[in-house]
Amino acid sequence: LTDSSNGIFIIQVLCMFVTIIALFKISLLITSKKLYGIITVIMSLIVLTLVYGDGNLTEEYCLPLLSISTYFQLKWLYSYPVLNCNKFYHSPILAAIYGFTFGVTFLTRITNGITISIGVLIISVLLIFKKQYLNLAKNALFFMCGFGMIVLPFIIYFTYHDALNDFFYATILYNIEYKEHMIPWISNCTGNDIVQYGLLYFTSYSIFLTSLLSLINHKYIFAICCIICGILESYLFLSGALFSQYAII
């Protein structure tokens, strides 16, 4: 954009601005007090400084869409449905947003999309449970449309350049090989490693406290979502390398 790093800086500012707005909106799901939202944003930025590194990493560019998708999923899971409600509906437009977001994580590192994938799974299970099959089918279609909107141009581009196999290897297969050959940091960790994990990955395992508080407040669906997220993310972060930027998501 500017023939210098300032161009990257502009994109980073835009991404962070969108992320902050989404975090603020998430806080308003709990209370209408704007001061609570401001404190939420400040605390999030403080935690982010611990794992941000030098910036310009794939996780940073996933944050805006992950935060927006998380907002809509939390709004639906936490504020709207209960199992005995008569009206049970999820907007296909939101499913398209989830699909687009998942496409972005697919093009960077697919594990960045763990949280929204769990949200999609739980929403799908609830729609099946309430026998909302038509709504589920529409959501699935729109999810695929959102996914295709971001991924399809890349597939066309790499196909045109006869490099589609390289595209899939770089985005999926290499990551699988990388994971298979990686020695988990916890297998030969030191005391300093454990302290580092406790500090840098606080946002991943603190979700278990969130699930407990949700159970106390009878938000059972949301609590289940938190528990599954916490288990899968903990497995991901404990079975790989202890790179701080992984915790950004």
Side-chain angles (χ1 to χ4, degrees), residues 21-45:
I21 294 298
L23 290 173
F24 185 78
K25 293 285 288 184
I26 287 172
S27 73
L28 296 182
L29 296 176
I30 310 302
T31 176
S32 59
K33 296 179 181 179
K34 293 184 179 180
L35 178 60
Y36 181 84
I38 294 172
I39 294 174
T40 298
V41 169
I42 292 174
M43 290 180 62
S44 300
L45 292 175

Side-chain angles (χ1 to χ4, degrees), residues 19-210:
T19 301
I20 286 174
I21 294 298
L23 290 173
F24 185 78
K25 293 285 288 184
I26 287 172
S27 73
L28 296 182
L29 296 176
I30 310 302
T31 176
S32 59
K33 296 179 181 179
K34 293 184 179 180
L35 178 60
Y36 181 84
I38 294 172
I39 294 174
T40 298
V41 169
I42 292 174
M43 290 180 62
S44 300
L45 292 175
I46 290 173
V47 173
L48 184 61
T49 61
L50 299 175
V51 295
Y52 187 75
D54 294 325
N56 195 31
L57 299 165
T58 60
E59 292 82 4
E60 178 181 1
Y61 299 117
C62 291
L63 276 184
L65 286 166
L66 286 175
S67 300
I68 291 172
S69 295
T70 298
Y71 165 72
F72 286 119
Q73 288 186 347
L74 293 186
K75 185 177 181 180
W76 197 85
L77 290 170
Y78 186 79
S79 305
Y80 171 59
V82 291
L83 289 178
N84 60 354
C85 67
N86 294 322
K87 186 179 179 181
F88 217 78
Y89 176 84
H90 185 271
S91 171
I93 300 299
L94 297 182
I97 295 175
Y98 307 154
F100 189 90
T101 302
F102 185 74
V104 171
T105 63
F106 172 81
L107 293 171
T108 54
R109 188 170 59 249
I110 198 167
T111 50
N112 288 340
I114 283 182
T115 52
I116 61 163
S117 298
I118 295 169
V120 168
L121 175 63
I122 290 180
I123 291 170
S124 300
V125 169
L126 290 173
L127 290 177
I128 294 173
F129 179 79
K130 299 299 290 187
K131 299 181 180 180
Q132 299 297 313
Y133 303 122
L134 181 59
N135 186 217
L136 176 64
K138 289 181 179 179
N139 274 267
L141 177 61
F142 275 69
F143 181 93
M144 293 307 299
C145 287
F147 179 82
M149 189 181 300
I150 182 65
V151 174
L152 191 58
F154 288 90
I155 291 178
I156 294 173
Y157 174 83
F158 281 94
T159 300
Y160 176 78
H161 289 282
D162 195 27
L164 188 62
N165 289 336
D166 295 320
F167 168 78
F168 282 110
Y169 177 78
T171 54
I172 297 296
L173 299 179
Y174 174 77
N175 287 307
I176 295 175
E177 292 180 6
Y178 181 76
K179 183 71 174 177
E180 288 177 346
H181 292 87
M182 178 180 288
I183 300 176
W185 68 268
I186 199 170
S187 62
N188 53 4
C189 65
T190 64
N192 288 333
D193 292 332
I194 295 176
V195 172
Q196 184 179 6
Y197 176 81
L199 179 64
L200 299 182
Y201 286 84
F202 169 77
T203 50
S204 67
Y205 61 78
S206 64
I207 199 170
F208 292 114
L209 176 59
T210 305

